[in-house]
Amino acid sequence: MKVAICASEVVPFAKTGGLADVAGALPLELKLLGQEVIIVMPRYKTIQEPKFSIQRLKPDISYSVIGENINPVTNTKALSEKNKICNGVKVYFIENDAFFNRDGLYQDKTGDYKDNLDRFAYYSRRTLELLKEINFKADIIHCHDWQSALIPIFLKTSYAENPFYQNTKTVFTIHNIGYQGLFPKDEFGKLGIDWKFFNMEMLEFYNKINLLKGGMVFCDIINTVSPTYSKEIQTKEFGYGLEGILAKRKKDVFGILNGLDYTIWNPKTDKFIARNFSLEKIDDKYKNKEDLQRICKLPVKTDVALFGIVSRLAEQKGFDILADAIEKICSMNLQLVILGTGDLKYHVILENIVKKYPKVISLHLKFDDPLAHKIYAGSDIFLMPSKYEPCGLGQLISMSYGTIPLVFKTGGLADTVTANDGFVFDKYKKEGLIKEIDKSIKAFKNKKEWLRLMQKAMQNNFSWRESAKDYISLYEKAKSR
Ligand code: ADP
């Protein structure tokens, strides 16, 4: 099957969240399973030589290749197979300096870029033209989130009669229904499609343009990143106003859990951590705890439970109840390292609490991949009390490092963490969070019990192989629509 993956961020080129991890890992696995795959994304400022090897195709199109020369990383069959067979996936970059040669992907310090509709409409249209130019007759165009939602919209509107696309179907993956790509109605003309599509059943949402909604209406298959989330978004509580559209397309809505890229997130081979370790040499994990405590200027102690957070600082990630509970949490027998950026409100709350409890909390208000690795490896417990979570990668990463996740029972967290390998609370209240933290600290004191938990967590296998197989079945379904 010919598959074009269209995403606004792709690891290793650009990343603000989990979408980039998916868009970088799924194509490689699809290729290993025999599919013909390409990726198309915007060329941002950071995508430059010599950091990446980039070739020119046209004055406004360049490309790179991912998945070539992957170093042998583990002795697992799947990965050594990857080294042998995967000869890379081409990533095409849509260039337009006025739109993409900026510091941020979607926003700057003052907020979202004002011309985001122009930027991603340009990206979507140029992508559809590019596929024609390189004669890539995709069976499936797999789009992700509002940034590429215009592709299924254009295909069923301005490109509806285009012979090149007569046999192309679209799969549209929603990574987070809370981000919909809303724009003022008076920008509709920029899309170059008939005003008749601006109606409640299609692109209109309370008198605004809603790109996510449009993508959901015009794609052939809607998909989300975990089975539980695919059900949750069909309810008023989680649907963010789009539950009605989903109800109408109920038979076309599916959920596939994201996989984890074990070539990146592997304690045996991770280059960022102080000491590599494995299930067999689990004690070496504690060297990473010491290292993290030193880096974070926390007292170096093995017997106190070290909690880690790597997250966007947003209400969705549980920061509302966390902020309410933080005083109480700091008075408990624990240490807490927080890495993240996000809502200024939480920056301020956390900065104030650090001043009060400098020996308990260490705060890093930035995006820092190497430090994230150190936190996953060095912490005892990974705190992820998300209010809702489409899939979540943090809990999967932490488990592979024997760091026990503590989560709220929702979405992908409910699908991946159980009492067998983590801590799960089911009432979204600060009291519920505090109680679960208390429970985890008590469990941490029982060395034998803790070792068992770590082993269970590390034995999980959330590789992309199974998810990619599920995606191929989904593509087949889309083809038969
Ligand atoms: P999101 O909703 O943000 O996409 P996910 O859990 O799906 O949440 O994925 C988040 C990804 O981004 C994880 O790989 C996590 O380690 C990474 N991440 C989040 N914040 C930071 C940060 N401040 N520094 C480094 N990595 C981060």
Side-chain angles (χ1 to χ4, degrees):
M1 219 178 328
K2 283 188 158 184
V3 184
I5 307 269
C6 299
S8 58
E9 47 187 279
V10 181
V11 161
F13 303 107
K15 167 169 167 172
T16 67
L19 156 63
D21 294 290
V22 175
L26 173 64
L28 297 180
E29 212 57 56
L30 290 172
K31 176 118 195 213
L32 281 173
L33 291 167
Q35 312 304 314
E36 200 179 326
V37 194
I38 61 166
I39 303 172
V40 190
M41 69 177 292
R43 181 155 179 191
Y44 302 107
K45 194 175 185 176
T46 50
I47 307 175
Q48 295 300 343
E49 300 222 72
K51 192 171 175 205
F52 303 108
S53 158
I54 298 168
Q55 314 289 322
R56 179 143 303 281
L57 184 74
K58 291 169 178 286
D60 67 335
I61 305 286
S62 49
Y63 67 91
S64 188
V65 178
I66 56 169
E68 257 183 338
N69 308 320
I70 300 170
N71 293 324
V73 269
T74 68
N75 52 10
T76 67
K77 194 163 168 273
L79 290 172
S80 53
E81 216 177 290
K82 181 178 266 182
N83 294 320
K84 258 194 283 159
I85 305 170
C86 188
N87 52 4
V89 170
K90 248 188 191 173
V91 183
Y92 290 94
F93 302 114
I94 305 290
E95 298 183 356
N96 181 323
D97 280 355
F99 286 151
F100 304 124
N101 195 13
R102 303 180 185 178
D103 288 332
L105 265 51
Y106 317 122
Q107 55 188 195
D108 59 18
K109 284 196 183 79
T110 62
D112 288 344
Y113 291 133
K114 296 280 178 287
D115 57 352
N116 271 345
L117 187 75
D118 307 76
R119 298 172 77 226
F120 290 99
Y122 179 83
Y123 158 73
S124 301
R125 234 178 242 294
R126 189 68 191 90
T127 297
L128 288 172
E129 286 304 307
L130 173 68
L131 298 189
K132 285 202 290 180
E133 287 160 14
I134 60 173
N135 196 25
F136 191 86
K137 261 198 172 160
D139 296 291
I140 301 294
I141 302 184
H142 185 174
C143 300
H144 300 261
D145 283 351
W146 67 264
Q147 294 90 339
S148 54
L150 279 165
I151 291 173
I153 297 172
F154 287 154
L155 278 176
K156 293 264 170 71
T157 55
S158 35
Y159 284 78
E161 305 300 325
N162 195 304
F164 187 81
Y165 285 111
Q166 288 314 303
N167 294 316
T168 299
K169 303 286 180 183
T170 51
V171 170
F172 185 48
T173 297
I174 301 168
H175 294 259
N176 189 332
I177 205 163
Y179 298 85
Q180 303 185 347
L182 293 173
F183 298 95
K185 174 183 176 175
D186 57 20
E187 290 193 43
F188 194 80
K190 292 176 174 176
L191 299 181
I193 60 176
D194 201 302
W195 270 95
K196 72 177 182 202
F197 299 112
F198 188 76
N199 69 64
M200 252 173 65
E201 304 294 312
M202 295 176 167
L203 274 98
E204 187 204 344
F205 188 73
Y206 298 99
N207 214 28
K208 284 192 168 152
I209 305 166
N210 185 325
L211 293 188
L212 195 81
K213 180 177 172 181
M216 287 160 64
V217 170
F218 287 109
C219 69
D220 294 293
I221 291 276
I222 302 171
N223 168 60
T224 67
V225 288
S226 69
T228 297
Y229 190 62
S230 76
K231 296 197 180 71
E232 285 174 345
I233 56 174
Q234 298 183 41
T235 66
K236 201 165 187 315
E237 189 185 353
F238 293 95
Y240 277 79
L242 297 179
E243 58 279 2
I245 293 289
L246 285 160
K248 278 197 192 126
R249 299 212 55 186
K250 205 175 168 59
K251 63 173 188 12
D252 299 323
V253 182
F254 298 88
I256 299 176
L257 207 58
N258 286 336
L260 185 62
D261 188 344
Y262 288 101
T263 62
I264 299 173
W265 302 108
N266 188 331
K268 274 189 194 167
T269 52
D270 193 323
K271 296 268 184 298
F272 293 121
I273 65 177
R275 178 75 65 93
N276 290 119
F277 63 99
S278 61
L279 199 52
E280 296 74 36
K281 292 181 88 181
I282 217 165
D283 278 352
D284 284 350
K285 176 174 168 63
Y286 291 104
K287 289 281 172 224
N288 295 298
K289 181 171 178 176
E290 262 180 57
D291 181 52
L292 184 61
Q293 287 169 325
R294 275 206 190 92
I295 292 171
C296 294
K297 301 189 174 62
L298 293 170
V300 177
K301 289 182 183 170
T302 43
D303 57 342
V304 55
L306 175 53
F307 287 69
I309 293 179
V310 180
S311 177
R312 285 185 286 115
L313 307 188
E315 194 178 308
Q316 183 222 325
K317 296 292 179 183
F319 278 84
D320 53 348
I321 55 170
L322 198 66
D324 281 352
I326 197 79
E327 281 277 353
K328 173 71 187 156
I329 292 173
C330 287
S331 70
M332 297 162 94
N333 183 26
L334 54 74
Q335 294 176 339
L336 174 60
V337 178
I338 301 177
L339 168 63
T341 56
D343 292 356
L344 284 182
K345 177 169 89 175
Y346 299 122
H347 285 216
V348 174
I349 294 173
L350 293 171
E351 273 170 332
N352 286 333
I353 204 86
V354 172
K355 280 184 204 138
K356 214 164 155 191
Y357 300 95
K359 292 216 152 46
V360 180
I361 287 207
S362 171
L363 180 64
H364 309 263
L365 296 173
K366 58 181 174 175
F367 194 96
D368 185 337
D369 195 39
L371 181 59
H373 283 250
K374 288 177 195 295
I375 295 174
Y376 286 118
S379 308
D380 298 301
I381 297 161
F382 188 74
L383 209 51
M384 196 166 172
S386 306
K387 183 179 258 174
Y388 73 93
E389 191 58 79
C391 174
L393 285 172
Q395 84 281 16
L396 307 181
I397 300 172
S398 72
M399 284 198 270
S400 77
Y401 288 79
T403 299
I404 308 305
L406 189 161
V407 303
F408 175 58
K409 190 173 181 176
T410 184
L413 298 174
D415 287 335
T416 53
V417 183
T418 67
N420 232 348
D421 49 23
F423 296 92
V424 186
F425 65 105
D426 60 8
K427 294 232 160 35
Y428 192 77
K429 292 230 156 66
K430 76 168 184 187
E431 291 78 14
L433 172 63
I434 291 167
K435 209 168 131 198
E436 207 59 35
I437 291 178
D438 190 50
K439 195 169 138 195
S440 68
I441 294 172
K442 289 194 176 110
F444 177 73
K445 293 212 172 87
N446 182 338
K447 288 228 151 37
K448 228 171 115 186
E449 164 67 3
W450 199 257
L451 180 64
R452 196 196 60 78
L453 263 178
M454 289 203 292
Q455 286 167 338
K456 282 274 176 220
M458 289 179 85
Q459 277 159 0
N460 281 314
N461 179 5
F462 297 105
S463 76
W464 267 106
R465 180 52 58 97
E466 291 312 308
S467 307
K469 284 184 191 159
D470 290 344
Y471 270 105
I472 292 172
S473 311
L474 203 62
Y475 297 159
E476 294 291 354
K477 268 197 192 90
K479 271 176 74 176
S480 66
R481 285 292 195 272

